[in-house]
Amino acid sequence: MALLKTSKLISSVGTFSPSLGVLSIRASSWWSEVQMGPPDPILGVTEAFKRDSNPKKMNLGVGAYRDDNGKPYVLNCVRKAEGLIASKMLDKEYLPIGGLGDFAKACAELSLGPDNEVLQSKRNITVQTISGTGSLRIGANFLSRFHTVARDIYLPKPSWGNHTPIFRDAGMQLKSYRYYDPSTCGFDFAGALDDISKIPEHSVIMLHACAHNPTGVDPRPEQWKELSALIKKRNLLVFFDMAYQGFASGDIDRDAWAVRYFIEQGHNILLSQSFAKNMGLYGERVGGFTVVCSDAEEAKRVESQLKILIRPIYSNPPMNGARIASTILNTPELRAMWLEEVKGMADRIIKMREQLVANLKKEGSTHNWQHVTDQIGMFCFTGLKPDQVERLTKEFSVYMTKDGRISVAGVTSGNVGYLAHAIHQVTK
Amino acid sequence: MSVFGEVPQAVPVAVFKLTADFRDDQNPNKVNLGVGAYRTDDSQPWVLPVVRKVEKMIAEDHRLNHEYLPILGLPEFRSSASKIALGEDSPAILENRVGAVQCLGGTGALKIGAEFLRRWYNGQNNTKTPVYVSAPTWENHNAVFANAGFEDVRPYKYWDAEKRGLDLAGFLGDLESAPEHSVFVLHACAHNPTGTDPTQDEWKQVAEVMKRRNLFVFFDSAYQGFASGSLEKDAWAIRFFVSEGFEMFVAQSFSKNFGLYNERVGNLTIVAKDHENLTRILSQMEKIVRVTWSNPPSQGARVVAITLNTPELFTEWKDNVKTMADRVLLMRAQLKAKLQALGTPGTWDHITEQIGMFSFTGLTPKQVEYMVKERHIYLMASGRINMCGLTTKNIDYVAESIHEAVTKVQ
C-alpha cells in the first residue's frame, strides 16, 4: 500500500508536458486501488455454455423466455404495436420525469384491476421506471429517504440475487425470513410465519407476488391470507415485487390476486412491476413503481418526492418500450392478443414441467419430482445438490446455477428427454 | 396513520414548470424560450431524417429482437460513441485504454461516473472529495453528485455577469486553490446555461493547472456537433486533454445531436492510463449499473450505432446536425442585429459570441418577470434563453419585448 502512495507522489513530479521536451514518466493511475469486481455467477454459466462444443448442450441459466425451438420470442402483439406506433410519426421529446402517463395508468390498472378503489380514489402514485430493477431501486431510495422509522427490509430466503445489492446500495439493512424448504422443495409456511411474527414493527417486508424467483414456490391463497393477517398484526410495510404477472399461471388476474388481496385488507403497499418477461420487452426496460397512499393528497406529495429521486439518476425514462406496452394495454385487439400470447408462454412452461416429470418417470427415477409441477413460473428449484449440478454440466453439458435452479424456459420438447435422462443419471 | 404522512411536498423542477406554464398560457403570441430541445423554424420538434430512416430499418429487420443488452450496453454503440468524442485515431483508443458504459442519457452517464468516483476515487468511499461545478451550471449537476454521496459539491467561478463572458482569472484561481484530487465538471462545449466556452488558449491554461494540482477531469459533453456544426471542433477540448495524458471521464449525451431526447441515449467514456486499469474499472462499473438499472434500453443505442457505423448514414447525420447548428447560428445573428437596430441599451455581442443552444441574455430577474407576465415569453429566471425557441416568425416580437424589458424595467 505504501508503494502505491509513493507512486502517487511521484506522479505529480513525473508527468512533464511533452511540449517542454522532457520525457514524461508514465504516472500511476487514479485507479490503481480499484479492485477487480467478482464475476457474475449467472453470466459465468452462459460464458461456459458458449464455449461448450457439445451439440446437445442446454443453457438452463437463461432468465429469458425461449420458444419450443429454443429461440427468443418477439410477441406478435409487440410487432403489431410497433407498426401502429411507427405509422403515427411521433416526436421524440422528453417524457415527464414520471414517464408516459398512458403507460403508468395502464400499468396500475393491470396490477390492481381497473375497478380497484385505490384507482377510483386516486390514492396511488404510479411512475414509469427502468424495468423491474429501476423500480426496485426507486423504491429502495424512497424508503431510505422517507421511511426513517425502520431501516430493515426482510427478504424471503432465498430471493432474487439482485435484491440484496439494490437495497444495500440504497442504504437499507438486509434481513430475511424463512421461505423455501429444501426438504420438501416447497414453501416453509410454518417457518415463514414464525420468522415474520418476530419482525420488528414498521420494518419493510418484501413479497414476490407470483412465480417466486428463484424457487418457483408460491404460497396458496389461504396461506397468503394468513400472511396478510400476521403482517398487518406486526404493522409491517409491504413491498411487492411482481415481475411475472400473466407469465406464472397464464391468467393476469390470478397472478395479481395476492397484491389485490393485500390492498383490500388495508395494506398500503409499494409495488414493483416489470414487463420484461410478460411482454418480452426485456431490453426496452419497461417497468412501473407504485405507492399506495392514504389519500390523493398524500399521493401528490409522494409523487413530487419520487420525481426528486428520479431526476438525478436518469432525468426521465425511455419512451420506446413504454409506448409499446401502453399501446398493447390500451388497444382492445392488441390487449386480447397479448393475453393469449402470455398464456401461450405460461402454458408452454407448464407443459415442459409436466413433460420433465413424465420423462423422469420413464427413465425409471424413483425420486419424488412433484415439486417440478407444483412450482410455477420461469424457474424451478430442482433440489439438485452442487456436486450433481457439476456432473450435469461436465458429463452432459447441461448448464444451470449451482443452487440447482433451472430456467424451464430453456427446456423444449426437443431436449426435455435428454434433460430427464441426464438428471436421472446424476440422481439415481 | 400513514407511514408517509410526513412526506413533504417537493418544489417542482423549475424548467419543467416553465414549460407547464407556457402550455397553459392562452396568449396567441406566446413564445417558449425555456426547456432545452431543438425546434424548427415552425416551432416544431424535429425528428432527424436519418433517425426516421434508421428506425424504419430496425423495425423491418426481423432478425432483431428485444433481448437484454449486456450490462455495459450495446458494444457497437459504446465504441462508436467513444470514437465520436475522442476521434477515431485517438492514441488512447489505439492504445486500448478507452472503455465506455452505455447509460440513460447524459444524466445517466454523469450518475454512473459519479457513483464510481465516490466509491473508488481518492481512496475508497471518500465522500469528502470536493466536486466542483461551474457557477452557473446545469441545475441537475449538483443533485447528481450529491445523490451519489458527495458531501462537498462547490461552485467554481465561471461566468462574469458584468462583462458577460468567461471569468478566466476566477476560474484559474479556483483551480489553483482547490484541494488536490478535487473533481471538476467541465462543459466540453456550448456551456449550459451561459453559452460561453473557453478559447483554445484558455483551455490550455485550465489543463496546465489541473495537471499540476492533480485535479480530476470529468467532461460533460451534451452538444457535440450541435454547437459549431462540426464534431471535431466541438470535441477539441476533450481531445486536447487526452493528448495531455489525463485520465478522465466524459459523459456524452445523444439527446440533442441525434434528437433522441426520450430514448435516453448516453455514453460514459472512460480514458484510463492503460488497459489493465480499464478492465478493473469496467468490472466495477458493471456492479454499479446492476443495482441502478441492470442493463440499458436498446432502441436509442441501436439507432446511434447503426448511424455511426454506416458511412452514408453517418454523412447524413452530420448534415442533419449542421442543419440544426446553422439555424441556431442564424437566430443568434438575427437577434443581435435586431436589438442593435432597435437601439436597445447595452452591448449585444455576447449573443453571437456565445455558442450552442443557450444564451445568457443578461436580463435581470425583474426584466425576466416582465417578459413572462407582460409579453408571454417564457425564459428562465437566470435570463437564459433557448435559441431554438426563436424563429423567423417570432424573432421581431422577441427582440421588441427584450427592448421593452430593458428600457422599462430595472
Side-chain angles (χ1 to χ4, degrees):
Chain A
M1 288 299 118
L3 191 63
L4 285 165
K5 285 209 174 92
T6 314
S7 63
K8 267 210 170 107
L9 279 172
I10 291 172
S11 77
S12 56
V13 171
T15 319
F16 294 96
S17 163
S19 64
L20 289 179
V22 181
L23 271 171
S24 76
I25 299 163
R26 269 290 248 246
S28 79
S29 167
W30 290 130
W31 315 122
S32 315
E33 276 151 278
V34 172
Q35 295 157 16
M36 188 67 187
D40 185 291
I42 297 181
L43 218 72
V45 169
T46 299
E47 296 299 303
F49 169 80
K50 282 190 191 149
R51 288 194 295 269
D52 193 324
S53 54
N54 185 338
K56 291 195 135 124
K57 65 181 180 177
M58 289 177 69
N59 186 356
L60 300 181
V62 70
Y65 180 78
R66 294 288 176 263
D67 64 18
D68 202 46
N69 294 311
K71 297 277 181 280
Y73 173 60
V74 177
L75 278 63
N76 286 319
C77 61
V78 168
R79 290 231 188 271
K80 286 222 137 66
E82 287 173 316
L84 265 177
I85 292 164
S87 66
K88 293 197 174 133
M89 301 289 268
L90 300 166
D91 65 40
K92 298 204 159 290
E93 293 300 288
Y94 288 122
L95 283 177
I97 300 174
L100 185 64
D102 286 345
F103 167 75
K105 184 163 181 289
C107 182
E109 286 175 353
L110 180 67
S111 53
L112 307 188
D115 301 322
N116 199 300
E117 162 273 319
V118 166
L119 299 175
Q120 315 295 341
S121 330
K122 298 198 201 299
R123 61 185 185 92
N124 66 302
I125 168 61
T126 300
V127 291
Q128 178 191 338
T129 57
I130 315 302
S131 204
T133 301
S135 176
L136 290 162
R137 186 54 199 252
I138 296 300
N141 287 359
F142 180 73
L143 288 170
S144 191
R145 188 172 279 186
F146 293 106
H147 189 63
T148 49
V149 61
R151 303 242 56 101
D152 295 338
I153 179 163
Y154 285 75
L155 305 180
K157 197 151 171 233
S159 194
W160 180 44
N162 207 18
H163 276 147
T164 293
I166 288 171
F167 284 96
R168 179 178 296 139
D169 201 60
M172 298 190 70
Q173 307 268 53
L174 277 307
K175 299 243 164 56
S176 65
Y177 57 92
R178 273 172 286 169
Y179 190 84
Y180 178 71
D181 185 345
S183 66
T184 60
C185 296
F187 184 31
D188 182 359
F189 187 41
L193 289 175
D194 187 31
D195 283 354
I196 292 172
S197 69
K198 297 176 176 127
I199 296 180
E201 257 202 327
H202 304 306
S203 300
V204 183
I205 182 167
M206 162 138 307
L207 304 169
H208 295 220
C210 62
H212 180 271
N213 179 359
T215 68
V217 171
D218 286 351
R220 290 191 305 272
E222 59 274 18
Q223 293 171 324
W224 273 125
K225 287 179 177 171
E226 270 199 66
L227 286 165
S228 166
L230 176 60
I231 289 169
K232 203 194 288 189
K233 190 151 155 239
R234 298 299 309 144
N235 205 0
L236 306 178
L237 178 53
V238 173
F239 197 150
F240 267 110
D241 186 354
M242 183 154 70
Y244 300 98
Q245 188 185 5
F247 196 92
S249 69
D251 179 332
I252 48 161
D253 295 311
R254 193 150 151 217
D255 288 348
W257 182 85
V259 168
R260 296 171 190 183
Y261 177 77
F262 269 65
I263 290 174
E264 232 177 83
Q265 293 301 304
H267 300 271
N268 282 353
I269 66 169
L270 276 63
L271 169 66
S272 284
Q273 289 170 258
S274 167
F275 290 83
K277 285 86 174 174
N278 61 11
M279 282 195 182
L281 289 173
Y282 307 92
E284 302 296 338
R285 319 309 292 126
V286 193
F289 175 64
T290 295
V291 182
V292 176
C293 303
S294 321
D295 52 44
E297 189 271 332
E298 180 174 283
K300 283 263 160 254
R301 280 184 284 116
V302 169
E303 180 184 16
S304 71
Q305 294 296 345
L306 290 177
K307 287 178 178 174
I308 300 278
L309 283 169
I310 291 171
R311 174 96 166 128
I313 304 177
Y314 53 85
S315 278
N316 41 75
M319 165 68 97
N320 196 49
R323 180 73 78 182
I324 294 169
S326 173
T327 302
I328 290 170
L329 293 172
N330 291 314
T331 311
E333 327 90 76
L334 293 185
R335 191 189 177 98
M337 198 184 284
W338 173 59
L339 291 174
E340 257 190 61
E341 287 190 278
V342 79
K343 185 170 190 310
M345 290 192 286
D347 283 349
R348 195 185 89 68
I349 302 265
I350 290 168
K351 190 149 161 227
M352 288 304 104
R353 289 178 179 276
E354 288 164 0
Q355 285 196 6
L356 180 57
V357 174
N359 275 281
L360 280 163
K361 289 208 171 101
K362 243 185 14 203
E363 287 283 325
S365 178
T366 52
H367 292 292
N368 180 357
W369 295 104
Q370 195 183 327
H371 54 282
V372 172
T373 42
D374 281 348
Q375 290 167 10
I376 192 169
M378 198 179 275
F379 300 112
C380 169
F381 247 30
T382 55
L384 292 168
K385 305 280 179 287
D387 56 295
Q388 293 168 326
V389 171
E390 203 180 331
R391 280 191 63 197
L392 271 179
T393 304
K394 285 214 162 84
E395 296 172 33
F396 297 94
S397 296
V398 173
Y399 291 82
M400 61 176 70
T401 45
K402 276 205 309 276
D403 54 9
R405 183 192 87 162
I406 62 170
S407 169
V408 184
V411 182
T412 68
S413 51
N415 63 27
V416 66
Y418 177 74
L419 178 62
H421 174 76
I423 291 176
H424 178 57
Q425 293 308 307
V426 308
T427 55
K428 62 183 180 183
Chain B
M1 186 57 210
S2 166
V3 288
F4 302 124
E6 301 305 309
V7 172
Q9 176 77 28
V11 177
V13 180
V15 69
F16 297 134
K17 175 141 195 330
L18 196 72
T19 294
D21 291 344
F22 167 81
R23 204 180 29 238
D24 295 338
D25 191 330
Q26 302 299 315
N27 189 296
N29 291 325
K30 65 180 182 177
V31 181
N32 187 358
L33 298 181
V35 81
Y38 179 78
R39 291 285 176 270
T40 63
D41 199 57
D42 293 313
S43 293
Q44 295 302 309
W46 191 52
V47 177
L48 275 58
V50 74
V51 168
R52 287 266 189 243
K53 190 182 281 187
V54 175
E55 289 203 309
K56 190 154 181 286
M57 283 164 62
I58 291 171
E60 288 166 1
D61 186 350
H62 282 220
R63 293 168 306 173
L64 293 174
N65 53 42
H66 292 289
E67 293 295 292
Y68 289 124
L69 286 181
I71 298 173
L72 296 179
L74 189 65
E76 46 282 27
F77 165 77
R78 295 158 57 208
S79 56
S80 59
S82 294
K83 284 195 176 116
I84 284 292
L86 304 186
E88 219 174 15
D89 48 4
S90 173
I93 294 180
L94 298 172
E95 287 161 22
N96 205 6
R97 56 191 183 87
V98 173
V101 183
Q102 178 192 335
C103 295
L104 271 80
T107 306
L110 287 162
K111 164 70 172 177
I112 299 302
E115 289 285 346
F116 181 90
L117 290 174
R118 193 261 299 159
R119 283 164 173 71
W120 298 106
Y121 174 70
N122 199 24
Q124 280 187 35
N125 204 37
N126 188 352
T127 58
K128 304 227 182 300
T129 303
V131 176
Y132 283 79
V133 299
S134 65
T137 192
W138 180 48
E139 118 285 334
N140 206 15
H141 276 150
N142 275 281
V144 171
F145 284 89
N147 276 272
F150 285 103
E151 296 169 19
D152 186 356
V153 183
R154 322 172 177 182
Y156 59 86
K157 292 186 198 65
Y158 192 83
W159 169 251
D160 184 333
E162 242 188 83
K163 74 168 222 234
R164 290 190 191 166
L166 180 69
D167 177 5
L168 181 67
F171 187 2
L172 293 174
D174 281 347
L175 288 166
E176 289 284 3
S177 64
E180 245 204 337
H181 307 314
S182 296
V183 175
F184 271 75
V185 180
L186 308 173
H187 297 228
C189 69
H191 182 272
N192 178 0
T194 69
T196 299
D197 290 344
T199 62
Q200 288 185 6
D201 186 71
E202 288 166 344
W203 274 124
K204 286 178 178 171
Q205 295 180 59
V206 167
E208 190 273 323
V209 183
M210 291 192 76
K211 193 183 289 192
R212 190 167 27 84
R213 307 260 331 115
N214 281 312
L215 305 172
F216 187 78
V217 176
F218 199 148
F219 270 112
D220 185 352
S221 177
Y223 301 99
Q224 190 184 359
F226 197 96
S228 70
S230 156
L231 292 170
E232 289 71 32
K233 201 150 164 231
D234 290 348
W236 185 87
I238 295 171
R239 297 175 189 190
F240 173 70
F241 274 70
V242 172
S243 73
E244 287 292 295
F246 284 93
E247 285 186 298
M248 69 175 78
F249 286 172
V250 184
Q252 300 169 262
S253 167
F254 292 89
S255 292
K256 282 84 174 173
N257 60 15
F258 259 87
L260 284 171
Y261 306 95
N262 69 17
E263 299 296 4
R264 317 310 295 125
V265 197
N267 196 44
L268 177 69
T269 286
I270 300 147
V271 182
K273 274 293 179 233
D274 55 44
H275 185 74
E276 198 269 327
N277 271 293
L278 182 66
T279 308
R280 281 181 286 110
I281 293 167
L282 290 176
S283 75
Q284 293 297 346
M285 290 285 182
E286 276 195 357
K287 288 185 70 179
I288 295 169
V289 169
R290 189 71 170 126
V291 296
T292 312
W293 54 61
S294 268
N295 43 76
S298 87
Q299 180 71 0
R302 273 179 176 161
V303 172
V304 173
I306 291 171
T307 305
L308 296 182
N309 289 311
T310 313
E312 326 83 77
L313 296 173
F314 182 49
T315 302
E316 193 179 339
W317 172 58
K318 284 193 283 187
D319 233 43
N320 289 170
V321 174
K322 194 159 187 315
T323 299
M324 293 190 285
D326 284 350
R327 197 179 94 66
V328 170
L329 288 167
L330 181 66
M331 290 300 100
R332 285 185 179 278
Q334 287 192 358
L335 181 61
K336 175 171 125 179
K338 286 182 193 296
L339 289 170
Q340 285 174 340
L342 286 167
T344 310
T347 56
W348 299 100
D349 291 330
H350 58 284
I351 302 270
T352 45
E353 278 162 7
Q354 289 165 8
I355 191 168
M357 202 180 268
F358 301 114
S359 176
F360 243 29
T361 53
L363 292 173
T364 65
K366 282 216 159 67
Q367 290 166 343
V368 169
E369 206 185 327
Y370 174 84
M371 294 282 283
V372 178
K373 293 221 158 71
E374 305 301 321
R375 308 294 291 188
H376 306 274
I377 296 174
Y378 290 76
L379 63 154
M380 301 293 286
S382 59
R384 183 191 91 166
I385 61 172
N386 177 5
M387 301 306 297
C388 302
L390 290 174
T391 69
T392 50
K393 292 117 177 126
N394 67 22
I395 195 160
D396 284 312
Y397 178 66
V398 173
E400 279 155 24
S401 304
I402 292 177
H403 184 82
E404 295 277 310
V406 171
T407 50
K408 282 190 181 158
V409 183
Q410 295 322 302

